[in-house]
Amino acid sequence: MRGFLIFWAGPIGFLWGWYFLSYYDLSMGTYFFSREMHEKVFAIYGGILGIQPETIPPLVARACVVDTALVLGLIAIRRRRQIFNRYKAWRAERAAYKKLSSASAA
């Protein structure tokens, strides 16, 4: 799980952190987070891809959502026994609670 946070959530957080800081021009005195840099980066990507620069952020957001779902699905497949055991324990606890509450109500 630590590797997931380092190699997946770290870069995604950095990407979206840069995007929103540069989009709202919260540069904190650096050019990297300026709106001018934001416009140049998306103009370059738009030129390379042959699409309008303003269409790139929604495409990236959609790709991040799909990729995150795939990565979490792979993690769930690897840990399916643990997940199933936790689910069974939760169901047993819930059934015992219902049984106890119905017995005390009578």
Side-chain angles (χ1 to χ4, degrees), residues 79-92:
R79 296 183 178 196
R80 65 185 174 269
R81 288 187 186 117
Q82 293 172 348
I83 293 169
F84 184 68
N85 289 336
R86 286 183 187 171
Y87 177 73
K88 281 182 10 182
W90 175 77
R91 292 285 296 190

Side-chain angles (χ1 to χ4, degrees), residues 17-91:
W18 171 81
Y19 175 78
F20 285 112
L21 286 173
S22 65
Y23 182 79
Y24 292 111
D25 200 19
L26 301 171
S27 62
M28 298 172 281
T30 63
Y31 181 70
F32 183 72
F33 294 113
S34 68
R35 181 65 183 200
E36 183 182 351
M37 175 76 162
H38 180 92
E39 297 296 332
K40 284 183 181 180
V41 166
F42 284 104
I44 291 169
Y45 282 145
I48 291 171
L49 297 173
I51 60 176
Q52 294 296 322
E54 57 272 358
T55 63
I56 296 172
L59 295 174
V60 172
R62 191 177 315 149
C64 287
V65 168
V66 170
D67 290 349
T68 300
L70 288 173
V71 169
L72 292 177
L74 290 173
I75 290 172
I77 288 171
R78 291 192 62 182
R79 296 183 178 196
R80 65 185 174 269
R81 288 187 186 117
Q82 293 172 348
I83 293 169
F84 184 68
N85 289 336
R86 286 183 187 171
Y87 177 73
K88 281 182 10 182
W90 175 77
R91 292 285 296 190

